[in-house]
Amino acid sequence: MYVLPLAAAAAMMQSPVATTAVRPGTIAIVAADSSTTSSAITRTFTDAVQRTLLRTPFLPLPDPNHSLYIAKVEVSQTQRGVVRSGNDRSDRPGMAAGLGGLSLTLPSGKDQLRGLIVTRLKVTVSLRRDNHVVWTGQATTVRASGTRTGDPSVVATALSDALLTWFPRQLPGPLSVP
């Protein structure tokens, strides 16, 4: 009889984010310091987060000194092996044969090894006045480098859209994006 209320209380105490209601307002997007991610990649992800937030009732501001909230964007990328990309013809021309109105594209037969890149995006939203964290979310994807779907801008858009679809509701846990 007491187990359920105790379990719920314990779960609330373990949550790193307080249950403060996040009301629409101004928000500044800042990049977290990272020694492993290039500034160009970090900028690509902060821009994607800003574009996604423009579709919400939150207004992104360029100056973090005047916003109600601060959204800290953390990006990490790690190579985890390689994959053969023999079926991905999106980035190399094939051979075409035409037969009286019927055309057929044949594979060029050139397999390429591409790095598998694990990309993680974490966004933490806090109140500017006291740094109180009101929302946090994390999304991860694995894509082959050097492909159309593995392009950093495509990955940034996919992760920020998936993650910030939840904002300001709390996520059930980290998201995995195909």
Side-chain angles (χ1 to χ4, degrees):
M1 177 158 117
Y2 294 107
V3 175
L4 188 58
L6 289 175
M12 287 178 18
M13 292 176 69
Q14 292 175 353
S15 174
V17 178
T19 57
T20 303
V22 181
R23 295 190 178 104
T26 56
I27 189 167
I29 296 96
V30 298
D33 294 329
S34 174
S35 59
T36 59
T37 305
S38 74
S39 60
I41 294 293
T42 301
R43 183 68 186 166
T44 300
F45 277 82
T46 56
D47 289 348
V49 167
Q50 181 172 350
R51 282 190 307 272
T52 303
L53 284 172
L54 284 171
R55 296 189 303 261
T56 68
F58 294 84
L59 176 65
L61 292 180
D63 185 5
N65 294 320
H66 298 293
S67 64
L68 178 61
Y69 299 104
I70 303 288
K72 184 171 75 169
V73 176
E74 297 177 56
V75 181
S76 68
Q77 292 186 312
T78 309
Q79 183 168 338
R80 298 283 184 189
V82 294
V83 65
R84 182 179 302 183
S85 64
N87 293 332
D88 183 11
R89 292 183 298 238
S90 62
D91 57 349
R92 66 177 188 262
M95 295 175 50
L99 302 171
L102 175 69
S103 69
L104 176 65
T105 302
L106 302 172
S108 64
K110 296 180 184 176
D111 286 343
Q112 294 183 7
L113 293 179
R114 302 194 182 269
L116 278 178
I117 307 297
V118 177
T119 305
R120 181 182 63 92
L121 172 65
K122 181 177 181 184
V123 177
T124 304
V125 178
S126 59
L127 289 168
R128 181 184 56 85
R129 70 175 179 258
D130 60 4
N131 291 326
H132 176 72
V133 174
V134 294
W135 187 88
T136 189
Q138 179 177 310
T140 305
T141 191
V142 179
R143 307 269 176 106
S145 65
T147 62
R148 189 171 16 110
T149 59
D151 182 79
S153 63
V154 173
V155 173
T157 299
L159 288 176
S160 65
D161 286 352
L163 186 60
L164 294 171
T165 295
W166 285 87
F167 183 67
R169 297 169 299 154
Q170 295 300 323
L171 276 80
L175 299 177
S176 178
V177 178

